Amino acid sequence: MGIADMLKAKPVNVSRRGFLAGAGSLVLATTLPVKPVRGQEASDAPAVQAFMELRADGTVLLKSPFIEGGQGVYTAMAQIVGEELDLDPSQFTVEIAPPGGPFGIMGGFRITGGSASTRSSYMLMRRLGASARAMLLQAASDGWGIPAAQLTTEPGAVLGPNGERAAYGDLAAMAMDLDVPADVPLRDPTTFRYIKSPTPRIDVRDKSTGQAKYAIDVEVEGMLLAAVRHAPRLGMTPSAVTNQSEIEAMRGVHSVHMLDGAVAVVAEKFWQARKALDAARVDWTDGDAQWPMPTDFSSQGFRDQLANATGDIATVENTGDAASTLNSAETVIEATYDAPFVVHGQLEPPSATARFNEDGTLDLWLPNQAPEQFAGRAAEAAGITPDKVQLHSQVLGGFFGRHFLYETANPFPQAIALAKATGRPVKLIWSREEDFLRDAPRPLGLARFRGSVGPNGPEALEIEVVGEGPTGRWYGAPAGNDPSAHEGLSGKPYAIGNKQIGQIYLPNPAVIGYWRSVGHSMHDYMYESFLDEMAEAAGLDPYEMRLSLLEGSPRHSTLLQAVAELAGGWQPGPYEVDGVQRARGVAMASPFGSEAASIAEVSLDGGEVKVHQVWTAIDPGQIVNPAVIEAQVQGATALAVSQTLVEELVYENGEPTARNFDMYPILRPDQMPEVHVRIIESGAEMGGVGEPGLPAVVPAICNAVARLTGQRVRSLPLSKHDFS
Amino acid sequence: MQLNVNGTTHNVDVDEDTPLLWVIREELGLSGTKYGCGIAQCGACTVLVDGVATRSCVTPASVVAGQEIKTIETVEETDIGKRVVEAWVENQVPQCGYCQSGQVLAATALLTETPQPTDEDIEYAMTNLCRCGTYNKIRAAVRSASEA
C-alpha cells in the first residue's frame, strides 16, 4: 500500500485509551509509513531534523505532533525538549507538524485527544532534545578539536574545558547537518529544571492581546466568504432556493449553491453571505445521509428506548458471581441513571478555508485533532490524491473533542466544494446556529444498576450500560470492547467481590462524538452516585466505605485521603454557612491513565443548586507542568459543573431544539466554584491531564445534593429538577 | 459611514445594519475581535465604545458612527489596559484564548470606571463566557490588576 492509500485508509479499532494505556484490547489498523531521515535509517534514533529547526539566533522552531487548543501542549513540548537540549522553553516557537512524515508517533498514527499527547510522546521528545544536544556537542567538538566528552552545556551554549563557549545558534548549521546519534543518555530526573516546574505558557501574551490566530482568522488572497444553512433535520437536502435570483442580486453576493444537505451563499464578505442566506427561502426534500435522523426522533423517546432495551449483553467485566449473590441477597437496590446529549460549545465556531492551486494541489486551513485523517478525507472530497492536499492545522479556539473527523460535522468538505465551484479560494464559517445543528454531541447515555449490600458495604454489583460509544461509531470497536461506551463503569478500583458489567449495544440515531473525558464524563457520575446509594442502603458513610473498598490499593486510598485533607477533613454536613445549609459529596475516577478524587460543596439558592467549592486531588503518575495541570483541572471542573447544572441538548422531531447559547446555557462566571487542586506524583506511569479532572466532579456534586436535599438525582442536568 | 476605530477615522462602505464586529474584522482587517455566538450571549466580540464594554456582534456599525471605538489591538495604549494585559500574563489566564480579547477589554472597561472593584462589581462586569473555564484566573487577574 502506498502512502496515498494509507492516508486515505480509515483507521479501524482505534481505542483512544486502549492503545495508549496498553490495555491492548484494540489496536490500530492504519499505520503511516515513517519517512526515514538521514541518520535514522540504521537506528531508531528520533528524526531530529524533521521535528526541530535550530536557528542561527539560538531559538528553536519545534514541530509538535499535537495541536494546541488551550491544554498547554506546546509549552509541554518546549519544556520536555528544552530540558534535554538545555535550552529555556521561552526560546521555543512551537507549531503543528504537517500530516505524514515521522509525526505519527502513536505507533504510526497521531491524534490530539485522549489526554494522550504528553504521555505518548514524553520519551520521544526527551530523546529528540538529547539527540540535538549531542549533535551540538559534536559540532563544537569538531570545531574546537576537543573530544565531545570534555564538553558540556549551559542553557543555549556549549562550553569547553578552557573557557570556550559557543552559542547554540552559531553551531546550528553545522550541528543539524550531522547524523543523529543512535543512543544518547537522558538527564537524571532529579536534575530537571524545566520539566516538573510551573513553566509559564509560551502563548499567553499573544492570547491576551488578540494576536493569536485561529482558523476563523485565516486570510488568503482573493478569497470569498461563505455561509451555509443546513437542513433542519439531518438527511434532508435542498431541492430549491425559491428566491435565488433575488438573493444573488443582494449586495456582495457571488453565488448561491445547493450542497448535499445544505444551501451555501458565497459573497465578498461573510456578513453579506450571512445576510443573503438569512433571506433565502429553501425547499427541503429527503436526501440520503449515512445517519439520517428519524423524523420522530426525540431525546426523551430515545432515553426511554435505552431504559427498556433488552438484548445481548457483551461482557465488559465479570468477577465472582453477581447474579446469584443478588438473588440470595436480603437488601437489593436498583436504579437507572441517564445523562443527556451535550454539545462541545467550543467558543470558536468551525470554519475552513480551501484553495485549489494551479499545480493541482489543494491548500486547506482548518481546525482538526487528526491531520492525517482530515487530509485523507479532504482528498476524497476534492477528488485528488492525498499527496496533493496541503493541510494547515490551526490553533484551536477550544475543542473538547469537537474537531475529530465526524461525517457531516466538519465544514471542510463544503469549503472544498465551494472553492471548486467558484474557482476562488473560499473561507466557510459555520454560524453558532449551524454548529449546534451539526455538532457531533456526546451521546445520551444510560445505565441500569442492581446492587446488594451487607453490613460492610457492597457485596454484588450488576451494571448494564445501554447504547453506543463514539469509538464504536467511528472506529468500529465492537460492543463490550468499546471503552468509550463503558469507561467509568468499568475500570473502577473498588474491591467488590461480585460484579458483572456489560454493554447492550443500541445504535444512536444522532451523529455522536467525543466530549471531554468521553465515557467517563457521564459513567463515573452514574457509578459513583450508585455507590453512594449502596452506602446509604448499608448505613455506611460514603467516604469511609470507599476507603474500606480501597484497602488493597494504596494509590487510590492515598488519593482519597489527600482530597479529604485538602478539604479540611471529610465533613459531609449538612452544616450552616452564612445562614444557609451546605453539604459535601465525594467521588473518584480513573480516567486516561490518571487518578482523581473530588469533593464538592453545594447549597440551594431559590430551588437551584449552587456549587461553592470543589477540591480535587489528581495523580497523573508523573508530571511535566504543575501550573498547566492546575489550569486543566480548573477547566475540567468548569465543564463538569456546567454539564451537571445546566447542559442538555434536547431533540424533538429529529432536530435539536437549541441552536445557540440562549436556549442552551453553559456555565457563567458567577456559577464557577472555587477550585482547590492538589497534585500527587505517585511515580506510576504517566497519565493524562486534559480530561481527568472532569469525571469525579459530576458525582461529587450529585452526592452532595443528595446529602443536602435527600433527593437522589439520576438524570442530568440538575436544572431539570426542582429542589425548592 | 465614518467609524473612529483605535484613534483613526475610517470610511467604510457597508450596509447600515452590518454588525460592528464584521466591519472590524472584514473591512478593517482587525482579527483580534472574535465571533462567538452572534447574539450577544458570549462576549467574545467585546469592544470598547466610548470606554464602555460593548458586544459588537449585535451592534449595528451605523449606531456607533462618530463614537470612539477601541479594539484589543490597542488595549495596551492605556495604562489600565497595559496593567490588565500584564495581569493576564502574570496569572496565566488564557487557555485556548479565543474569548480572552473580550475578557481583557471587559476588565479594562471595569477598572477604568471602577479602579477598586468589589466582588459584586467584578461579578456584574465580567459576564463573558469562557468554555475553557478560566473564570477563577480571570477573577484573580482583575483583582491583581486593580491592586497594581
Side-chain angles (χ1 to χ4, degrees):
Chain A
M1 192 157 63
I3 185 166
D5 293 321
M6 286 173 163
L7 281 167
K8 206 161 63 182
K10 186 179 175 186
V12 295
N13 290 356
V14 179
S15 159
R16 298 171 69 248
R17 285 188 63 211
F19 74 86
L20 294 160
S25 57
L26 297 163
V27 293
L28 283 162
T30 293
T31 51
L32 294 166
V34 175
K35 190 174 151 198
V37 296
R38 194 148 41 89
Q40 198 195 17
E41 293 91 338
S43 75
D44 66 346
V48 173
Q49 292 91 341
F51 279 94
M52 54 188 279
E53 182 188 321
L54 186 55
R55 295 144 152 177
D57 65 359
T59 63
V60 166
L61 172 65
L62 182 69
K63 291 198 169 69
S64 165
F66 310 105
I67 191 74
E68 177 62 58
Q71 79 281 41
V73 69
Y74 281 3
T75 305
M77 294 290 125
Q79 283 179 265
I80 300 164
V81 175
E83 183 68 63
E84 298 288 352
L85 175 60
D86 206 358
L87 185 68
D88 192 284
S90 65
Q91 299 303 300
F92 283 73
T93 302
V94 185
E95 60 181 39
I96 183 74
F103 307 114
I105 64 166
M106 296 167 153
F109 183 78
R110 61 162 156 162
I111 54 165
T112 304
S115 297
S117 301
T118 302
R119 58 187 166 131
S120 68
S121 65
Y122 181 62
M123 292 312 289
L124 173 73
M125 290 295 150
R126 287 184 64 192
R127 281 165 50 221
L128 265 175
S131 298
R133 178 174 175 271
M135 290 154 73
L136 287 158
L137 287 170
Q138 189 58 50
S141 163
D142 293 348
W144 292 334
I146 303 171
Q150 294 180 26
L151 307 181
T152 184
T153 58
E154 65 181 18
V158 178
L159 307 175
N162 311 307
E164 298 91 342
R165 186 180 187 281
Y168 280 0
D170 296 332
L171 297 167
M174 212 184 352
M176 296 307 268
D177 222 25
L178 296 171
D179 287 347
V180 180
D183 202 16
V184 289
L186 299 179
R187 280 188 85 93
D188 173 358
T190 61
T191 69
F192 282 168
R193 292 115 343 131
Y194 309 129
I195 295 175
K196 299 184 193 291
S197 88
T199 302
R201 288 184 44 163
I202 59 179
D203 53 356
V204 291
R205 184 168 293 275
D206 278 355
K207 286 177 171 177
S208 302
T209 53
Q211 297 304 305
K213 301 287 185 217
Y214 305 84
I216 204 168
D217 302 322
V218 166
E219 295 266 358
V220 175
E221 200 183 336
M223 74 179 182
L224 294 166
L225 276 294
V228 291
R229 187 199 302 174
H230 290 95
R233 183 166 52 75
L234 186 59
M236 302 178 86
T237 202
S239 57
V241 179
T242 57
N243 59 342
Q244 182 159 345
S245 55
E246 205 176 293
I247 289 167
E248 281 168 345
M250 287 176 75
R251 185 171 182 185
V253 172
H254 176 280
S255 47
V256 177
H257 304 262
M258 289 204 289
L259 305 173
D260 186 16
V263 167
V265 175
V266 181
E268 294 298 325
K269 299 284 160 60
F270 176 74
W271 186 252
Q272 295 167 337
R274 177 76 197 274
K275 195 173 167 184
L277 190 71
D278 287 347
R281 289 198 295 272
V282 183
D283 288 345
W284 303 98
T285 185
D286 284 335
D288 47 38
Q290 200 174 351
W291 285 281
M293 262 298 201
T295 53
D296 61 349
F297 180 78
S298 72
S299 36
Q300 183 58 46
F302 184 59
R303 187 249 163 233
D304 295 342
Q305 196 188 343
L306 293 177
N308 298 315
T310 55
D312 290 347
I313 301 174
T315 301
V316 176
E317 284 180 14
N318 189 7
T319 311
D321 190 343
S324 66
T325 312
L326 281 163
N327 285 340
S328 60
E330 238 173 70
T331 309
V332 175
I333 58 170
E334 296 188 23
T336 299
Y337 280 83
D338 63 70
F341 289 106
V342 289
V343 303
H344 294 92
Q346 80 298 336
L347 225 43
E348 180 196 8
S351 66
T353 303
R355 180 183 67 196
F356 284 96
N357 304 306
E358 282 179 9
D359 63 0
T361 58
L362 168 69
D363 279 298
L364 198 56
W365 293 263
L366 77 179
N368 77 85
Q369 297 178 242
E372 285 77 15
Q373 284 183 295
F374 276 64
R377 177 71 184 87
E380 275 176 38
I384 57 178
T385 52
D387 59 304
K388 297 272 197 296
V389 177
Q390 300 168 48
L391 197 81
H392 309 279
S393 305
Q394 302 295 306
V395 164
L396 306 171
F399 58 121
F400 321 116
R402 175 64 182 87
H403 298 302
F404 284 113
L405 187 63
Y406 307 118
E407 196 64 36
T408 68
N410 313 107
F412 70 92
Q414 295 170 342
I416 290 169
L418 294 170
K420 200 177 230 184
T422 59
R424 297 264 299 271
V426 170
K427 174 158 79 177
L428 167 64
I429 301 171
W430 280 9
S431 66
R432 179 60 61 188
E433 289 77 9
E434 298 307 311
D435 185 39
F436 263 74
L437 194 55
R438 285 292 177 271
D439 189 10
R442 182 187 72 184
L444 190 156
L446 181 139
R448 306 186 291 232
F449 292 78
R450 288 178 74 213
S452 68
V453 295
N456 298 318
E459 291 179 344
L461 177 60
E462 190 180 84
I463 308 172
E464 292 169 1
V465 59
V466 190
E468 180 188 10
T471 303
R473 170 70 59 92
W474 302 110
Y475 298 97
N481 220 350
D482 171 4
S484 70
H486 58 72
E487 60 195 2
L489 297 166
S490 57
K492 301 294 290 187
Y494 306 110
I496 298 175
N498 304 290
K499 63 182 171 186
Q500 169 100 38
I501 301 165
Q503 181 194 353
I504 297 176
Y505 175 77
L506 195 146
N508 194 319
V511 171
I512 55 174
Y514 295 97
W515 193 88
R516 194 174 190 172
S517 77
V518 195
H520 286 286
S521 70
M522 50 185 171
H523 296 145
D524 283 293
Y525 127 73
M526 299 170 180
Y527 187 108
E528 296 278 329
S529 296
F530 191 72
L531 197 59
D532 261 39
E533 291 200 64
M534 291 205 284
E536 197 183 335
L540 297 172
D541 174 82
Y543 172 81
E544 296 298 339
M545 187 184 86
R546 279 177 176 79
L547 262 189
S548 79
L549 291 172
L550 295 171
E551 261 172 20
S553 177
R555 186 180 183 190
H556 293 99
S557 47
T558 300
L559 192 69
L560 184 58
Q561 285 165 328
V563 77
E565 188 186 292
L566 183 65
W570 170 241
Q571 39 182 325
Y575 49 85
E576 202 175 288
V577 178
D578 299 333
V580 178
Q581 294 287 105
R582 295 186 185 183
R584 295 184 184 184
V586 64
M588 301 184 78
S590 306
F592 305 95
S594 291
E595 300 293 339
S598 294
I599 290 174
E601 182 194 56
V602 306
S603 72
L604 292 181
D605 184 1
E608 288 180 10
V609 172
K610 178 158 182 63
V611 184
H612 294 273
Q613 302 191 79
V614 172
W615 297 266
T616 291
I618 183 167
D619 174 8
Q622 304 172 48
I623 70 168
V624 171
N625 189 326
V628 166
I629 294 172
E630 198 265 346
Q632 286 303 296
V633 173
Q634 287 269 352
T637 302
L639 214 53
V641 177
S642 190
Q643 67 145 328
T644 308
L645 294 186
V646 293
E647 290 190 44
E648 176 182 30
L649 187 67
V650 173
Y651 285 88
E652 283 170 12
N653 304 316
E655 301 174 19
T657 57
R659 300 286 298 275
N660 207 322
F661 296 126
D662 52 348
M663 299 298 286
Y664 182 105
I666 62 173
L667 194 77
R668 301 186 312 260
D670 62 299
Q671 294 171 310
M672 181 75 187
E674 284 178 39
V675 179
H676 314 272
V677 183
R678 176 169 296 175
I679 300 165
I680 295 191
E681 197 174 7
S682 64
E685 190 180 344
M686 186 181 285
V689 159
E691 298 167 278
L694 194 153
V697 174
V698 184
I701 295 168
C702 293
N703 288 339
V705 168
R707 183 88 188 187
L708 183 68
T709 66
Q711 247 174 287
R712 173 55 60 183
V713 170
R714 301 190 186 91
S715 184
L716 292 178
L718 296 176
S719 58
K720 290 198 301 195
H721 306 271
D722 186 2
F723 296 98
S724 54
Chain B
M1 70 185 76
Q2 287 197 330
L3 286 180
N4 178 348
V5 179
N6 296 335
T8 306
T9 301
H10 300 267
N11 281 302
V12 293
D13 180 19
V14 296
D15 289 349
E16 296 230 319
D17 60 353
T18 305
L20 178 60
L21 167 68
W22 295 104
V23 174
I24 289 169
R25 287 183 60 84
E26 298 202 291
E27 305 294 328
L28 307 183
L30 299 171
S31 63
T33 308
K34 300 305 188 194
Y35 165 58
C37 69
I39 58 168
Q41 292 286 309
C42 75
C45 64
T46 300
V47 299
L48 303 183
V49 177
D50 287 343
V52 178
T54 303
R55 292 185 173 175
S56 65
C57 71
V58 294
T59 305
S62 54
V63 169
V64 293
Q67 290 178 272
E68 195 176 283
I69 300 155
K70 291 274 187 198
T71 69
I72 188 69
E73 282 82 1
T74 54
V75 69
E76 291 177 284
E77 287 178 5
T78 66
D79 287 345
I80 292 172
K82 194 179 288 181
R83 249 185 9 235
V84 170
V85 167
E86 291 309 319
W88 246 245
V89 173
E90 181 68 24
N91 286 274
Q92 297 277 295
V93 174
Q95 289 189 25
C96 92
Y98 196 77
C99 74
Q100 299 297 346
S101 296
Q103 306 281 7
V104 165
L105 287 174
T108 302
L110 165 65
L111 295 180
T112 304
E113 177 79 20
T114 313
Q116 303 293 326
T118 62
D119 284 347
E120 289 69 32
D121 292 333
I122 295 174
E123 191 163 304
Y124 185 74
M126 300 300 293
T127 57
N128 290 1
L129 300 178
C130 171
R131 189 59 160 167
C132 297
T134 64
Y135 295 133
N136 286 329
K137 292 206 189 294
I138 287 172
R139 185 173 287 263
V142 171
R143 176 80 40 236
S144 70
S146 75
E147 286 159 3

